[in-house]
Amino acid sequence: TGQPTSTGPAAETQPELRTLLTVEEAARRLSIGRTTMYALLKDGQINSVRIGRLRRIPAPALTEYAARLTTEQNVA
C-alpha cells in the first residue's frame, strides 16, 4: 500500500507513541505554537517534567488539558 507500518522498534520513536514529548512535539500535537506551549507550561495549565536541563511533557498531560478545555467550554 505504500503506507508505513507502525509496528516494530521504529514505531517507538514516533512522537505519537512516546511517553515524554519535547515542547515542540507537544505543541504540534495540540496544533499550537511553541511560544503558546511555553506559556501554558509556565501557567501550570499543562504538566511537565525536567530531566536534567531538558523539559518534557508527558503524553497524558496533553489529553488531560484537552479534556479540561472541553469540560470548561461545555459548562460555560
Side-chain angles (χ1 to χ4, degrees):
T1 63
Q3 296 293 325
T5 60
S6 60
T7 58
E12 294 175 12
T13 62
Q14 295 175 351
E16 63 272 5
L17 300 178
R18 289 193 200 148
T19 302
L20 295 173
L21 305 168
T22 66
V23 172
E24 291 80 8
E25 290 167 343
R28 275 195 302 273
R29 286 181 75 174
L30 292 178
S31 299
I32 61 175
R34 190 173 65 109
T35 304
T36 302
M37 186 63 170
Y38 275 109
L40 292 171
L41 294 169
K42 183 178 179 183
D43 290 345
Q45 295 188 46
I46 296 178
N47 293 326
S48 66
V49 296
R50 293 202 49 102
I51 301 174
R53 295 181 60 178
L54 304 174
R55 171 77 52 197
R56 293 294 182 258
I57 295 88
L62 301 179
T63 304
E64 292 165 8
Y65 173 70
R68 195 168 55 251
L69 281 180
T70 301
T71 301
E72 290 171 359
Q73 290 180 12
N74 285 336
V75 171

